[in-house]
Amino acid sequence: MDWKRELDALVRETAALVERTATNRQAPVEQSKETIAPPKPALAEAPAPTARPLSWNTSEREHIAKRVQNFRAHQERIRREREDFYSRMMQRARDLAEGRLDPRS
């Protein structure tokens, strides 16, 4: 079977790679007995969040209702933009078909 030969070749290549890596490794770095101080936090201000944070004064139900309302408003805006684009393209096609518009414009 061909896959068995390929598997054996892969195992041999992997073993050779591990052997080469082990022989090329540098001497281990000595561990110091001193304690390492944790890194200090960056002083730069965090970027402003893009979404409004959850207000803890409102219930989860109100928060979800507000998000649904925002989503529906967004979908309505997209629907209006799509219909507007369709109307403009259809009007342009009619104008081109009736010769009221130069095709190069």
Side-chain angles (χ1 to χ4, degrees):
M1 299 201 144
D2 194 42
W3 66 270
K4 286 186 178 181
R5 280 184 287 188
E6 289 180 13
L7 179 61
D8 290 339
L10 178 62
V11 169
R12 282 192 305 274
E13 287 177 23
T14 305
L17 177 64
V18 168
E19 219 174 281
R20 280 194 312 255
T21 306
T23 57
N24 292 340
R25 188 178 294 175
Q26 297 176 351
V29 178
E30 291 183 20
Q31 297 282 336
S32 67
K33 293 183 181 179
E34 298 175 18
T35 58
I36 299 174
K40 295 180 181 177
L43 298 177
E45 292 185 26
T50 55
R52 293 185 197 115
L54 176 62
S55 170
W56 295 107
N57 297 332
T58 60
S59 71
E60 274 187 59
R61 184 176 297 275
E62 291 171 347
H63 177 70
I64 292 170
K66 181 67 175 170
R67 289 186 63 142
V68 168
Q69 180 184 8
N70 289 342
F71 177 77
R72 286 184 178 155
H74 176 75
Q75 291 297 313
E76 180 62 26
R77 181 177 53 86
I78 295 297
R79 186 190 61 76
R80 281 193 312 266
E81 289 175 1
R82 187 175 49 239
E83 286 178 359
D84 181 51
F85 179 78
Y86 173 79
S87 297
R88 284 186 285 123
M89 289 299 113
M90 289 305 294
Q91 186 60 46
R92 186 171 190 276
R94 287 184 201 106
D95 290 345
L96 282 169
E98 294 173 7
R100 292 184 293 214
L101 189 62
D102 185 20
R104 287 173 261 164
S105 64

